[in-house]
Amino acid sequence: MVRSDTLDLTPLRPILERYAPQGRPGLLPALQEAQALYGYLPEPVAAAIGQALRVPLADVHGVIDFYALLYREPVGRTIIRVCTDPACWMRGADEVLEAACRRTGCGVNETSADGAYTVERAPCLGLCNCAPAVNLTFNDTRPAKTVSFAHVEVSQLDRVLSGKGRPPEDYVGGDLCIVTPLAGRGRRMTLTEYQAVGGMQALRRTLGEKMAPAEVIKLVNDAGLVGRGGAAFPTWIKWDGAANAKGSPKYFVVNADESEPGTFKDRILLEGDPCRILEGAMVGAYAIGAHRIYFYIRGEYPTALERVKAAVDECYAAGLLGPDVLGTGYALDVEVRSGAGAYICGEETALFESIEGKRGFPRIKPPFPATYGLFGKPTAINNVETLAKIPYIITHGPEAFHRFGTEKSTGPKLFCVSGDVLRPGLYEVPFGVTIRHLIENLAGGVVGGGLRAILFGGAAGAFATAEHLDVKLSFEDLRAVGLPLGSGVVMVFNDTRDMRQVLLRLGRFFAHESCGKCYPCQLGTQRQYEILERLARGQALPGDKERLLDVGWTMTDASLCGLGQTAAGAVLSAMKLWPELFES
Amino acid sequence: MTNIHLTIDGKSITVPAGTTILKAAAQLGISIPTICYHEYCTANGLCRMCVVEVEGMRLLQPACLVPVAEGMKVQTRNARVERSRRTIVEMLNSAVDLSEAPEIQEQLADYNADPARFPEAQRRERPVIDDNPMYVRDYSKCILCWRCVQVCADDAQYTYAINFDGRGFETQIGTFYDKAMPETTCVFCGQCVGVCPTGALKPKREWLLQEGKTPDEIMNMTRAQRRRRGRG
Ligand SMILES: Cc1cc2nc3c(=O)[nH]c(=O)nc-3n(C[C@H](O)[C@H](O)[C@H](O)COP(=O)(O)O)c2cc1C
Ligand code: SF4
Ligand code: FES
């Protein structure tokens, strides 16, 4: 392990030189690269970075401490992060975590005495379709390397720890193949392959032929496209707002921070077909008049990060990015950013703060991103799946898009099916098919028992039961029965599952991920978790039900951002469905 | 400047555009409770104690931040608002030592808060940090109102000696790699001590008196400290 009294700062110099001109916005990448060299962030390294980038040292400290993947103290030569959130828990993640602790001799969130290992409990790693999952950082290679393994078995733990685990294999299916034709093939499809199936036509038709930006936005409006990141907001309104906002430069941001427990759709798209997402973002940037795209990818998605970077390089080489895109004179650049372990950074304004080199605290809205976004400039930000639809809408037209789905929910939709079904995976269907069709026909039905519950929309979602099987999957039909579509999570639990354990894990997730800015969520997620913990142990106290209700409604009603506002959603929905679970 | 007409708790009022609900209510003599709000600090909407119900809005709104709007109908205290306020102070009380925060004590009473509402709750208990001659830091009393961080930074002093540790429930105020105050950029201007509402930041002398030291003992201690420093 690197000791700070013998620390050699020479290898840090190139990093400082590269990021110093950026100032504070260079802080996260500088810290990440430095950590990859030193294994953690020793004080002199953090101080040198702060000085070079002119960031107050206390602020550097605040940033390091905010992000779960940045370390102020020495950590093990191998960091083992075991996901124990619901989908992985159902496939034996608790046993994997226990085995990892036994094998390494350290407790959870501890480093072994010999400095060989650190074991951590990880929030959902976006590998719910191939659970249980483990994410490892090999800190003794320079630079450090992070990988994820799937279907981890206790008996195979040693192979996993030596870097020879099973890579994730994603099942991609469904009734449609509009945005998924190149996804789930076990490798990245190249720009050439993407172009061979019509890729980059949308970019050529819009930016390439100098289509009026308002015309581009009109196509997106006519298609009725709404955001797939969770809030279902009309995409064209965001674009139009940013296009017409005063102020320059403008920015386009790709939200690839996918961390909602149960969600893995964006990972599969990014790993298999990153060019499609890039094309969507490039068209969007052109539509709003932005010349710079920030592509913010979750820190626990090393494969996606590497592949998006490779796709960006190919686009530059092909003249699709750079100072003169397609010979039109339009300059367009992409900067790929990696998150550092914070679910809250998927919230759009927290994501901006993170790119600006700050703690990922969500901002007060209004002002909204369209007028005051990244660096205080007009910004459009979209989810990966939203952007994946753009090329189709432009090349096939809004009418073609309307052929799929219902009148109010247009187009194809991706669902992340995990848990107790025969074939967990990513399913592309038109809006309007029933939950039953998705679970029984496509995912092969419930396994291991009868159907107990379906978690919709992720940790921030709500539960459905067998009664809901014939409800149609559309915004309007789900809303009518009080279910959120959210990010497309459909997590299935059979009737042998202990739902209190499920709630405990959702509660722990929010307590771990609350940013701590506003009181209702900072305090409420912790209190909620403690009560759920008692409940799971079978030791609920009198009054715990009322406590959960008060804490839950206070978070929902009074929190500053969407995290706190939804942190009690699943618990409150479970209280309605299964009041008996909450009796002591 | 345009004027905005609205009603608060059924009473009509006209105020200039840009006025917050908090300020408009005050003009009607309606006092909305606040914790994090401070006249001279940037409002960040942290504590949410000031939430009110605004007709047509799905969620409760923080009165300290939200500007009035034409025709707005505000209710500053109904059952829904009371539930949030009571739960917020009960949760705060279950996490930190509010014994020297008289204003929050009053709010606890006003909202019928149960001091033992959350049994077995983890508290943010930290040892007192006594690392400089001017003030002590007792973060067991810290409510994370951010005022000290803000006055140390862009709200007043531009010194940037303190920032945050951890996140979520584990958040605390801290220095670069936990350094003692004299080793930071702190200039001991005392602004942070001045804005702290809970006694978490306290002049050293006041703390020593509370700890039972006599003024003479304190005098001797400071002399001894000065001598030590003179030698060092
Ligand atoms: C706590 C929280 C986490 C979020 N995480 C994500 C995320 O990982 N990916 C995402 O696309 N949107 C996420 N969102 C939603 C974004 O704030 C934003 O609505 C979205 O990026 C907009 O894109 P869209 O309109 O294309 O859906 C999150 C929101 C909240 C409140
Ligand atoms: S609800 Fe509040 S504490 Fe929770 S993440 Fe949002 S701002 Fe942070
Ligand atoms: S006083 Fe309004 S949020 Fe604290």
Side-chain angles (χ1 to χ4, degrees):
Chain A
M1 194 40 58
V2 193
R3 299 246 322 258
S4 48
D5 47 357
T6 57
L7 202 68
D8 176 10
L9 291 181
T10 330
L12 187 63
R13 256 182 233 141
I15 298 177
L16 299 181
E17 276 162 27
R18 195 142 23 92
Y19 289 105
Q22 280 197 29
R24 185 147 193 171
L27 183 57
L28 263 178
L31 290 171
Q32 287 165 327
E33 286 185 32
Q35 179 168 284
L37 283 184
Y38 293 93
Y40 74 110
L41 291 164
E43 186 193 312
V45 170
I49 292 174
Q51 276 143 15
L53 275 61
R54 295 174 310 282
V55 182
L57 295 191
D59 288 31
V60 173
H61 175 97
V63 167
I64 296 173
D65 249 34
F66 189 83
Y67 295 96
L69 299 180
L70 296 179
Y71 300 93
R72 250 194 312 130
E73 307 280 340
V75 277
R77 289 188 289 281
T78 303
I79 306 173
I80 310 167
R81 303 185 186 90
V82 183
C83 169
T84 57
D85 280 343
C88 283
W89 163 71
M90 286 189 263
R91 304 275 161 131
D94 283 15
E95 290 71 29
V96 173
L97 180 62
E98 211 175 279
C101 288
R102 233 181 303 120
R103 165 74 178 70
T104 60
C106 39
V108 178
N109 298 333
E110 281 177 18
T111 297
S112 58
D114 59 359
Y117 295 102
T118 297
V119 177
E120 294 179 355
R121 188 194 287 282
C124 172
L125 293 167
L127 291 161
C128 328
N129 55 328
C130 24
V134 166
N135 176 271
L136 298 161
T137 295
F138 295 105
N139 245 335
D140 48 0
T141 61
R142 290 288 174 266
K145 198 171 160 39
T146 297
V147 295
S148 286
F149 294 119
H151 297 298
V152 176
E153 284 170 39
V154 170
S155 60
Q156 301 288 308
L157 194 63
D158 277 325
R159 286 181 57 81
V160 171
L161 296 189
S162 61
K164 295 193 208 77
R166 274 173 72 177
E169 288 152 37
D170 300 308
Y171 180 81
V172 179
D175 301 328
L176 296 175
C177 209
I178 304 298
V179 301
T180 52
L182 304 184
R185 299 190 178 197
R187 65 179 181 90
R188 174 179 75 89
M189 304 307 274
T190 61
L191 177 61
T192 313
E193 287 166 309
Y194 179 54
Q195 288 185 315
V197 297
M200 295 299 168
Q201 286 304 319
L203 184 73
R204 290 176 202 281
R205 278 207 206 165
T206 51
L207 193 160
E209 291 172 17
K210 301 223 160 146
M211 181 190 280
E215 191 62 24
V216 181
I217 295 173
K218 184 171 183 306
L219 289 173
V220 175
N221 181 5
D222 290 345
L225 178 65
V226 302
R228 306 297 203 232
F233 194 79
T235 304
W236 80 272
I237 297 183
K238 291 187 176 191
W239 289 16
D240 194 53
N244 293 320
K246 288 194 198 71
S248 70
K250 296 178 181 180
Y251 295 103
F252 197 92
V253 179
V254 184
N255 189 342
D257 195 46
E258 181 172 77
S259 320
E260 183 65 46
T263 317
F264 45 83
K265 63 189 177 70
D266 297 346
R267 176 183 61 76
I268 294 179
L269 293 177
L270 295 168
E271 288 180 356
D273 195 11
C275 292
R276 187 180 307 270
I277 316 305
L278 276 170
E279 186 181 16
M282 285 145 78
V283 170
Y286 172 71
I288 68 161
H291 295 278
R292 192 168 191 82
I293 297 170
Y294 281 87
F295 206 123
Y296 189 97
I297 304 176
R298 180 177 186 194
E300 292 88 342
Y301 279 2
T303 311
L305 182 70
E306 189 185 298
R307 293 184 182 175
V308 169
K309 281 185 176 163
V312 167
D313 289 345
E314 286 180 338
C315 289
Y316 271 105
L320 301 172
L321 285 172
D324 180 20
V325 175
L326 294 167
T328 58
Y330 196 93
L332 189 53
D333 286 291
V334 174
E335 182 170 335
V336 181
R337 286 297 192 103
S338 165
Y343 165 68
I344 187 59
C345 289
E347 195 283 337
E348 52 199 18
T349 60
L351 191 153
F352 300 153
E353 294 281 305
S354 182
I355 294 178
E356 292 177 17
K358 301 177 190 157
R359 287 167 69 89
F361 284 137
R363 300 176 185 164
I364 312 263
K365 288 188 273 192
F368 292 100
T371 53
Y372 189 91
L374 183 59
F375 303 119
K377 300 295 180 188
T379 304
I381 174 164
N382 281 112
N383 170 257
V384 166
E385 185 194 346
T386 312
L387 295 173
K389 324 273 171 185
I390 297 294
Y392 184 88
I393 290 172
I394 304 288
T395 45
H396 294 75
E399 302 75 30
F401 198 71
H402 272 278
R403 279 208 316 272
F404 312 113
T406 67
E407 202 189 314
K408 288 191 186 129
S409 307
T410 59
K413 173 74 194 116
L414 299 178
F415 287 97
C416 310
V417 184
S418 63
D420 293 318
V421 291
L422 188 64
R423 270 186 308 276
L426 182 66
Y427 293 92
E428 183 170 9
V429 294
F431 273 119
V433 301
T434 61
I435 302 177
R436 186 187 299 283
H437 175 66
L438 181 65
I439 291 177
E440 293 180 359
N441 302 343
L442 296 176
V446 183
V447 293
L451 174 65
R452 173 79 195 255
I454 309 164
L455 179 61
F456 259 84
F463 290 101
T465 63
E467 264 177 48
H468 297 107
L469 276 174
D470 294 308
V471 173
K472 286 186 185 145
L473 289 161
S474 73
F475 292 113
E476 59 277 17
D477 290 277
L478 288 170
R479 199 177 302 126
V481 294
L483 290 173
L485 191 96
S487 51
V489 171
V490 176
M491 197 182 286
V492 178
F493 302 91
N494 70 32
D495 55 14
T496 72
R497 300 298 181 185
D498 178 356
M499 295 312 287
R500 290 173 174 170
Q501 277 294 327
V502 177
L503 294 173
L504 165 70
R505 281 147 217 275
L506 301 181
R508 181 162 54 208
F509 174 80
F510 285 116
H512 187 255
E513 297 301 331
S514 167
C515 82
K517 181 170 180 174
C518 73
Y519 291 14
C521 169
Q522 170 214 107
L523 300 162
T525 52
Q526 174 68 22
R527 294 292 96 102
Q528 174 175 269
Y529 168 51
E530 289 163 355
I531 300 168
L532 293 173
E533 217 269 321
R534 282 202 287 270
L535 214 58
R537 269 190 281 126
Q539 292 171 347
L541 297 172
D544 272 353
K545 203 170 164 176
E546 291 69 30
R547 283 184 199 101
L548 274 181
L549 282 168
D550 276 349
V551 170
W553 282 112
T554 300
M555 286 198 283
T556 307
D557 249 359
S559 290
L560 188 153
C561 87
L563 193 154
Q565 288 158 13
T566 57
V571 174
L572 294 174
S573 92
M575 288 179 96
K576 255 193 233 154
L577 289 171
W578 310 295
E580 69 282 2
L581 283 182
F582 299 85
E583 304 302 339
S584 24
Chain B
M1 194 179 279
T2 37
N3 281 328
I4 303 282
H5 313 269
L6 70 158
T7 63
I8 303 179
D9 295 343
K11 295 178 195 151
S12 310
I13 184 170
T14 305
V15 291
T19 309
T20 60
I21 297 175
L22 182 71
K23 290 270 166 76
Q27 288 187 25
L28 282 169
I30 299 169
S31 130
I32 296 173
T34 61
I35 295 178
C36 67
Y37 181 78
H38 187 279
E39 202 60 35
Y40 300 110
C41 294
T42 308
N44 284 310
L46 308 173
C47 73
R48 320 302 278 186
M49 192 61 185
C50 65
V51 287
V52 294
E53 192 171 280
V54 176
E55 199 178 285
M57 302 288 269
R58 194 170 48 91
L59 303 173
L60 298 178
Q61 300 294 312
C64 71
L65 285 171
V66 176
V68 294
E70 189 58 39
M72 196 181 236
K73 290 197 178 74
V74 180
Q75 287 197 48
T76 67
R77 189 162 181 169
N78 59 20
R80 182 176 169 205
V81 167
E82 286 201 344
R83 175 190 236 177
S84 279
R85 289 190 190 151
R86 179 176 27 84
T87 310
I88 289 170
V89 281
E90 281 178 343
M91 292 196 297
L92 193 60
N93 191 40
S94 71
V96 295
D97 171 6
L98 298 173
S99 59
E100 294 180 41
E103 285 165 16
I104 305 177
Q105 289 294 340
E106 274 171 35
Q107 292 168 350
L108 284 162
D110 191 8
Y111 286 87
N112 282 323
D114 174 358
R117 183 73 204 282
F118 293 99
E120 300 176 12
Q122 186 185 321
R123 298 181 67 81
R124 283 197 291 251
E125 270 159 3
R126 311 281 145 94
V128 176
I129 308 175
D130 170 20
D131 64 4
N132 71 81
M134 307 299 286
Y135 58 90
V136 294
R137 297 181 283 149
D138 180 2
Y139 288 128
S140 302
K141 297 193 174 76
C142 171
I143 57 167
L144 295 171
C145 67
W146 292 17
R147 290 182 193 172
C148 57
V149 176
Q150 287 177 246
V151 295
C152 188
D154 308 13
D155 272 355
Q157 198 64 30
Y158 295 93
T159 302
Y160 308 102
I162 46 178
N163 200 269
F164 302 96
D165 253 8
R167 76 173 180 211
F169 183 77
E170 305 289 341
T171 311
Q172 201 196 299
I173 307 301
T175 58
F176 179 66
Y177 281 66
D178 308 324
K179 289 196 173 305
M181 240 40 239
E183 292 172 52
T184 69
T185 48
C186 177
V187 295
F188 300 97
C189 66
Q191 305 232 39
C192 55
V193 180
V195 291
C196 177
T198 63
L201 301 178
K202 194 179 283 174
K204 181 83 168 258
R205 186 185 156 79
E206 185 185 329
W207 179 66
L208 289 170
L209 287 171
Q210 272 182 348
E211 294 285 291
K213 301 271 185 293
T214 65
D216 279 350
E217 283 172 313
I218 296 172
M219 188 66 86
N220 286 337
M221 286 168 71
T222 30
R223 270 206 211 106
Q225 235 172 23
R226 221 174 290 140
R227 268 201 305 278
R228 263 204 309 279
R229 246 182 311 160
R231 270 207 303 271

